[in-house]
Amino acid sequence: MVKKILCLFALCTTLCANAQYTRKAGNFELGMRNTVSLFGNNNTSGFGTGGQFRIMLAKKINTEWFADYIQTDLYNLGKRTDAHIGWSVMFYIMDEPKKLDPYFIAGHCFDYTRVNVYHTLTEPGITVKSRWSSAAQAGIGCHYYIGERFNLTLATQYMLHLGNDIHVELENENGGEVLHVEQESTNNKLTFEGHMLTTLSLNFRIGQLWGAN
């Protein structure tokens, strides 16, 4: 997926190098993205793909509606899968877009988490634990404009999950390493689990939903 984005980036740069991007209310964009999840409570990194669309509300305010599918290897003993679907609001720093256009971003999403464990302390086979929750995220990002239609975007956000957590710990059992998984009861007090998301996306402006071109 990253190679595809870089190839499209090179093609778009060649075709649109001399054109200028303009921010206008009503701009509608479609994009594809790659996401890296870092610094979760399992001390592992996840990698995923997804898509998004953007609708600009004003010259300095944009919205992003996204979906991600992220998989994390758990020490070769299991796998964690996270699915996110949500929205964000983007606040641009500069009045007029330059080649680089930084912004602040904040939003909310709903997420589904599933952990597949191939070895546990008590069961020899695969166990599955899952949960639904919501999350809030905030961070910074920057567009690199490739003419009037395309932009390459890099964004980093901290995502804080608001729901019951699934804990995964690597432990030694009978001379070997195993995963121990605990899922908090819904009767317990909700906990806060956070991780960093870094997203690289390539976006294409299709047109304007309202306003003059």
Side-chain angles (χ1 to χ4, degrees), residues 8-195:
L8 287 173
F9 168 69
L11 176 62
C12 296
T13 301
T14 302
L15 296 176
C16 309
N18 297 322
Q20 178 64 40
Y21 186 94
T22 56
R23 289 200 231 111
K24 294 180 181 179
N27 277 0
F28 179 73
E29 295 181 356
L30 285 177
M32 57 183 182
R33 52 198 269 156
N34 282 102
T35 299
V36 179
S37 176
L38 302 169
F39 311 121
N41 62 4
N42 301 323
N43 295 319
T44 53
S45 300
F47 303 90
T49 60
Q52 63 195 22
F53 67 88
R54 295 174 180 159
I55 301 176
M56 186 166 287
L57 302 181
K59 190 174 183 180
K60 295 186 67 174
I61 300 177
N62 204 352
T63 62
E64 184 173 84
W65 307 79
F66 63 89
D68 289 313
Y69 183 81
I70 302 171
Q71 292 187 313
T72 304
D73 176 68
L74 299 175
Y75 316 104
N76 293 321
L77 298 174
K79 180 176 66 177
R80 173 176 174 142
T81 301
D82 292 279
H84 300 149
I85 182 168
W87 60 276
S88 298
V89 180
M90 307 154 74
F91 304 91
Y92 292 100
I93 298 173
M94 298 185 297
D95 291 330
E96 297 293 338
K98 305 299 183 182
K99 199 69 175 178
L100 295 176
D101 197 4
Y103 60 87
F104 297 105
I105 185 170
H108 173 266
C109 81
F110 297 98
D111 64 276
Y112 172 75
T113 299
R114 184 181 68 199
V115 176
N116 295 329
V117 180
Y118 308 129
H119 300 278
T120 69
L121 292 176
T122 59
E123 300 177 34
I126 295 176
T127 63
V128 177
K129 295 189 180 296
S130 62
R131 67 107 191 257
W132 289 91
S133 70
S134 63
Q137 70 271 358
I140 58 174
C142 187
H143 303 312
Y144 176 76
Y145 293 119
I146 316 166
E148 62 179 347
R149 291 283 183 180
F150 291 91
N151 66 79
L152 190 68
T153 300
L154 181 65
T156 298
Q157 301 183 75
Y158 189 79
M159 177 172 284
L160 185 65
H161 293 273
L162 313 172
N164 297 310
D165 193 14
I166 299 177
H167 295 285
V168 179
E169 295 182 2
L170 183 65
E171 299 182 355
N172 289 319
E173 177 75 10
N174 298 323
E177 293 183 330
V178 297
L179 290 182
H180 180 57
V181 182
E182 292 183 356
Q183 184 172 8
E184 296 185 356
S185 170
T186 55
N187 295 324
N188 291 345
K189 183 178 179 181
L190 297 183
T191 59
F192 299 95
E193 173 202 358
H195 57 109

